[in-house]
Amino acid sequence: ARRYIMGLGPLFPVAPHPVFIGPQGLAGCVVAGVLAGLLSAILTSAVYTSEDLFQKLPIHWMWWPAIGGLVIGLGGLAFPQALGVGYDTIGALIQGDVPMKIIMGVLVVKSIIWAVALGSGTSGGVLAPLLMMGGALGGIENKFLPNEGAGFWPLISMGAILGGTMRSPFTGIVFAMELTHDFNALLPLLVATVLSYTVSVLLLKRSILTEKVSRRGFHLSREYSVDPLEILFVREVMRTNVVAFPASSAVAEVAAHLRPDHSPLGQHLYPVLDEEDKLVGVITRKDLRKVVAERADGSKIAAFARGEPVVASIGEPLRVVVNRMASSGFTRMPVLDAEGKLAGMVSLQDLLSARARNLSEERDRERVIRIRLPFDSLAIPERKS
């Protein structure tokens, strides 16, 4: 829709930058990336330091946003350019015609009021403030890094700050190019943004976004690993060699499965099926022994089955099944296929065995490459005393 309203041009036009960036320019991108990573860590720490300070205040939390608003107002009185989304300021920084006073004001005042505002619990954005502060950092870098054209370093620092603070380097690269259409800056953006991301990862355990989730009590296993229960499915771990009873079977027929010479391999839960192999209920081994002991030989097994059992689907990930086991209290479940027919059985022991196999596969992938030098045979044998 923007193209029809505003045209096909970039949101923030920039002066043409050279296609070739020499070694000095790329070295400057390294410096810009490291500085952006440091600033990303400082900004993230400032937000959550502010949040910690608000939690220590001896007043009700409903007053925190009011205090945050007061700080924003004072910052706006001291430096009005720090208020709002700052699109005009971003555009001016990219054009490279902003006085140093404005640059320092954006970098200092905007950082303070933004950190206090988010720390106070008010609803606030991250994207535009990061672009503003990244552009201001680039404006300072213009003073000592190689001259690669007007607005070059603000553009590079904007993408690097976005990638480092939000832990999304490729998003920062694409975002900067989409805003400016300056595809000549692809390589410098790649260098600076990846370095900024690297510095941020080394200095902080979590990003500015995932830290908020972690502080609310949620465990973030997605930071550096994938939960194996999310990538393993029921069809991979279920047992298909199970004993199931037809609903029309008499108790006397079922009793044969309890004899030692017909032991169903330690199975503790038996599905009861209708003529179409669809599940109508389940019966436990304990209940089955009780029925047999009562000599109800003429009765049908379906009369003693528990209806509406807790089941698993053949295509579900194991995490869903584990949660269902925890909520229901049942550690054994029949597994149904897409048509509702019995496909197998799954138990907590099957899930643990699958996890053990997964750990074994991970260890097997970590092989040590042993290098045997051709002159190893010339080694002097150790003397025995």
Side-chain angles (χ1 to χ4, degrees):
R2 182 191 71 85
R3 297 187 176 187
Y4 292 100
I5 298 173
M6 304 177 62
L8 299 177
L11 286 177
F12 300 118
V14 296
H17 294 132
V19 177
F20 176 74
I21 303 296
Q24 290 184 344
L26 292 178
C29 293
V30 172
V31 175
V34 172
L35 292 177
L38 293 174
L39 182 57
S40 297
I42 292 172
L43 292 174
T44 303
S45 300
V47 169
Y48 292 106
T49 299
S50 173
E51 184 176 278
D52 293 338
L53 292 176
F54 272 103
Q55 291 177 352
K56 294 179 180 179
L57 291 178
I59 58 176
H60 195 275
W61 60 263
M62 62 173 275
W63 296 107
W64 297 355
I67 298 174
L70 177 62
V71 174
I72 293 174
L74 294 175
L77 287 175
F79 187 75
Q81 292 87 344
L83 297 177
V85 292
Y87 291 152
D88 294 339
T89 305
I90 295 172
L93 288 167
I94 290 182
Q95 290 292 333
D97 56 354
V98 179
M100 182 56 65
K101 179 181 178 181
I102 301 296
I103 292 175
M104 294 303 298
V106 170
L107 191 59
V108 176
V109 179
K110 184 67 175 179
S111 299
I112 294 174
I113 65 174
W114 177 70
V116 172
L118 293 184
S120 67
T122 59
S123 178
V126 174
L127 189 60
L130 288 178
L131 293 177
M132 282 184 67
M133 291 178 280
L137 176 63
I140 296 175
E141 293 167 348
N142 270 332
K143 303 300 180 180
F144 61 90
L145 292 181
N147 183 15
E148 299 293 345
F152 179 82
W153 295 114
L155 169 61
I156 300 303
S157 296
M158 278 172 32
I161 283 288
L162 195 63
T165 307
M166 301 182 69
R167 297 281 178 90
S168 53
F170 293 110
T171 300
I173 294 169
V174 174
F175 206 93
M177 289 194 299
E178 286 287 341
L179 287 176
T180 62
H181 292 189
D182 186 7
F183 292 95
N184 292 341
L186 175 58
L187 179 59
L189 278 170
L190 182 64
V191 173
T193 306
V194 170
L195 276 172
S196 174
Y197 169 79
T198 303
V199 172
S200 175
V201 168
L202 293 175
L203 293 179
L204 298 175
K205 185 177 180 181
R206 300 181 180 90
S207 72
I208 194 171
L209 303 178
T210 56
E211 178 69 23
K212 173 67 73 174
V213 180
S214 176
R215 282 170 170 247
R216 296 188 180 215
F218 296 97
H219 177 64
L220 298 175
S221 60
R222 76 126 208 102
E223 289 285 345
Y224 300 109
S225 62
V226 178
D227 188 347
L229 297 181
E230 291 286 1
I231 59 177
L232 292 175
F233 294 88
V234 174
R235 60 175 175 267
E236 302 176 48
V237 304
M238 68 179 187
R239 288 175 289 168
T240 56
N241 185 21
V242 297
V243 175
F245 300 130
S248 58
S249 299
V251 173
E253 300 174 9
V254 175
H257 291 282
L258 296 180
R259 297 205 311 265
D261 56 339
H262 290 82
S263 176
L265 301 176
Q267 187 173 333
H268 294 271
L269 186 70
Y270 306 103
V272 180
L273 309 178
D274 61 12
E275 295 80 3
E276 300 179 353
D277 291 336
K278 292 188 176 180
L279 189 70
V280 297
V282 294
I283 185 168
T284 64
R285 179 191 289 184
K286 181 179 179 181
D287 290 342
L288 189 57
R289 290 185 183 276
K290 182 178 179 181
V291 170
V292 173
E294 293 175 353
R295 299 293 182 181
D297 296 342
S299 304
K300 302 297 181 182
I301 193 64
F304 303 96
R306 302 179 183 181
E308 299 183 356
V310 179
V311 301
S313 175
I314 194 171
E316 289 180 319
L318 298 190
R319 171 171 284 278
V320 176
V321 178
V322 168
N323 292 338
R324 191 173 300 146
M325 288 181 177
S327 60
S328 65
F330 297 111
T331 58
R332 299 175 181 87
M333 297 179 183
V335 180
L336 305 182
D337 61 13
E339 298 178 355
K341 296 182 179 180
L342 181 69
M345 294 280 293
V346 66
S347 66
L348 182 60
Q349 183 62 38
D350 297 326
L351 303 186
L352 295 176
S353 299
R355 177 55 179 150
R357 290 197 303 271
N358 182 266
L359 289 173
S360 177
E361 292 173 358
E362 290 179 357
R363 286 193 296 266
D364 289 342
R365 286 196 297 265
E366 297 174 358
R367 302 274 182 151
V368 177
I369 301 176
R370 301 186 181 277
I371 301 176
R372 187 177 184 84
L373 300 177
F375 48 82
D376 281 351
S377 59
L378 302 179
I380 300 175
E382 181 181 356
R383 293 183 179 181
K384 297 182 179 179
S385 57

